[in-house]
Amino acid sequence: MRTIAELEAKLAEPSEALVKDIAAIDGDIMLLGIGGKMGPSLARLAQNALKQAGVHKKIYGASRFSDKELKAELEADGIETIQVDLLNDSQLQALPDVKNVIYMAGNKFGTTGNEHFTWAMNSYLPGRVAEKYRNSRIVVFSTGNVYPLTPVFSGGATESTPPGANGEYGMSCLGRERVFESFSHRYNIPMAIYRLNYAIDLRYGVLLEIARTVKAGKPVDVTMGHFNVVWQGDANEWALRCLNVCSTPPAVFNMSGPETLSMRWVAHEFAKRFGVEANIIGQEADTALLSNCSKAHKTFGYPRVSILQMIDWIAEWVEIDGKTWNKPTHFQEREGKY
């Protein structure tokens, strides 16, 4: 892939399993917080799956849409966009009622110094959304940051690992989960909690950050020495397929690739592709923010895009100086300060 158009097309390719699953979902689909990194490609993936399934459902996308160009692009793709401030309750209540909601709204970066807004977005708003959509099924985007750091040899936190959020962002995301869970019990709302850690495409993500650091000859600090990643196209597909496995109480899924990846190994893989030496500094800690996603893989299958394919694609993207987003992941953060 060498262009944004090719990237977007790849991200929007549905699998046969998604086509089958989306055809089985009754009702329209609302993406709350569509303006983030994953929302636009998720919407296009849903549209393509519906077309291949030969069924008609509306895909709504709600966001502040500070990027007016994105709003126009989504409308051109057949998404019914709605400009809304979700924290404005009258605007929230005016949204159309739908059978299926994918909740992607939230705040992470910039939390430090603006904690009150993060808690409002991540823990207060979920209760208002759950009240509004108490007759729907809801997939709730969450994060592996609700877990503590775990020993690298353990294979990562499972869905039964007790939460141990580190820092206000992780705690507020646990608050999001608990609030949705409470309303699921109260109104018998079918839900799925989607704990993602980490999605990547060619424009952002852990692999891109390592690749650019290696290519520039800068030091790669391996203290946070291990991590999980998954191709955004696979992550989007699983989010849509979660609509068929919502339950009360909520079903919980860790979402990422199957590997516990070594940052040192990944840095050397990029170095080989660039024909340079990786400048490694630091020593790997015994713990990392890791998720064991065996439950999701049993339910939805393994990712279609492998880690070596992701590395190849990103190495080529960096070589051609492809467009990137200024959205660092801060995956090296061990104190939970975002």
Side-chain angles (χ1 to χ4, degrees):
M1 290 182 287
R2 300 178 69 86
T3 68
I4 295 294
E6 290 173 339
L7 169 59
E8 291 290 358
K10 176 61 69 175
L11 289 170
E13 284 182 358
S15 69
E16 292 182 9
L18 175 58
V19 172
K20 180 180 178 182
D21 276 1
I22 206 164
I25 298 167
D26 63 307
D28 297 331
I29 302 172
M30 169 69 77
L31 307 185
L32 292 177
I34 194 175
K37 289 182 290 192
M38 295 178 64
S41 59
L42 195 154
R44 295 180 182 113
L45 176 67
Q47 282 285 60
N48 287 346
L50 289 169
K51 289 175 185 175
Q52 290 192 26
V55 297
H56 176 73
K57 304 180 197 296
K58 282 186 179 179
I59 306 292
Y60 295 97
S63 173
R64 290 188 181 90
F65 284 115
S66 54
D67 183 350
K68 299 296 187 279
E69 186 177 334
L70 173 62
K71 187 175 188 294
E73 289 173 358
L74 289 171
E75 288 172 353
D77 291 327
I79 312 302
E80 189 158 328
T81 64
I82 305 170
Q83 190 162 5
V84 60
D85 177 359
L86 294 173
L87 285 173
N88 182 316
D89 203 56
S90 62
Q91 293 183 27
L92 172 63
Q93 298 306 321
L95 291 174
D97 293 324
V98 295
K99 289 283 189 69
N100 305 284
V101 175
I102 298 182
Y103 181 86
M104 309 177 75
N107 188 63
K108 179 177 183 179
F109 302 119
T111 290
T112 301
N114 198 29
E115 291 84 357
H116 58 90
F117 177 72
T118 295
W119 281 90
M121 282 297 298
N122 293 351
S123 300
Y124 164 75
L125 179 58
R128 304 305 304 137
V129 169
E131 281 277 7
K132 162 69 178 174
Y133 288 108
R134 59 185 178 271
N135 296 315
S136 306
R137 59 181 69 87
I138 307 174
V139 175
V140 178
F141 266 62
S142 187
T143 172
N145 287 93
V146 301
Y147 294 122
L149 303 181
T150 57
V152 172
F153 65 79
S154 71
T158 70
E159 291 82 357
S160 61
T161 299
N166 187 14
E168 296 219 25
Y169 166 67
M171 289 189 288
S172 70
C173 290
L174 181 58
R176 172 199 295 148
E177 292 189 11
R178 294 303 192 216
V179 170
F180 270 117
E181 182 183 10
S182 176
F183 280 88
S184 176
H185 283 278
R186 182 175 182 179
Y187 293 123
N188 202 36
I189 307 171
M191 293 184 185
I193 305 293
Y194 180 104
R195 292 175 176 166
L196 180 61
N197 182 37
Y198 297 95
I200 67 116
D201 81 11
L202 306 186
R203 295 163 292 192
Y204 79 96
V206 177
L207 297 182
L208 175 67
E209 292 172 30
I210 296 173
R212 294 177 73 179
T213 302
V214 170
K215 183 73 160 53
K218 296 178 180 178
V220 178
D221 186 344
V222 298
T223 303
M224 181 70 99
H226 298 83
F227 57 92
N228 311 114
V229 295
V230 65
W231 177 243
Q232 184 175 300
D234 287 307
N236 284 342
E237 173 160 319
W238 294 340
L240 288 164
R241 294 180 65 194
C242 273
L243 288 167
N244 277 324
V245 294
C246 291
S247 64
T248 307
V252 180
F253 293 96
N254 292 343
M255 296 294 197
S256 197
E259 302 94 349
T260 295
L261 292 169
S262 158
M263 188 189 300
R264 186 182 297 265
W265 176 80
V266 170
H268 283 302
E269 287 296 310
F270 280 121
K272 285 192 294 185
R273 286 157 177 78
F274 297 140
V276 301
E277 292 291 328
N279 181 8
I280 305 294
I281 63 170
Q283 185 61 48
E284 289 85 349
D286 294 333
T287 59
L289 186 66
L290 297 168
S291 297
N292 183 317
C293 302
S294 302
K295 178 181 176 182
H297 300 152
K298 178 183 178 182
T299 305
F300 304 111
Y302 283 107
R304 290 187 293 163
V305 178
S306 70
I307 180 60
L308 286 177
Q309 180 65 82
M310 287 185 265
I311 289 173
D312 285 344
W313 282 343
I314 288 171
E316 181 182 36
W317 196 255
V318 171
E319 288 277 27
I320 66 171
D321 197 25
K323 179 182 178 181
T324 59
W325 292 331
N326 184 27
K327 296 182 178 180
T329 61
H330 299 284
F331 70 93
Q332 305 96 330
E333 175 60 47
R334 298 183 61 83
E335 302 300 325
K337 296 179 180 178
Y338 298 99

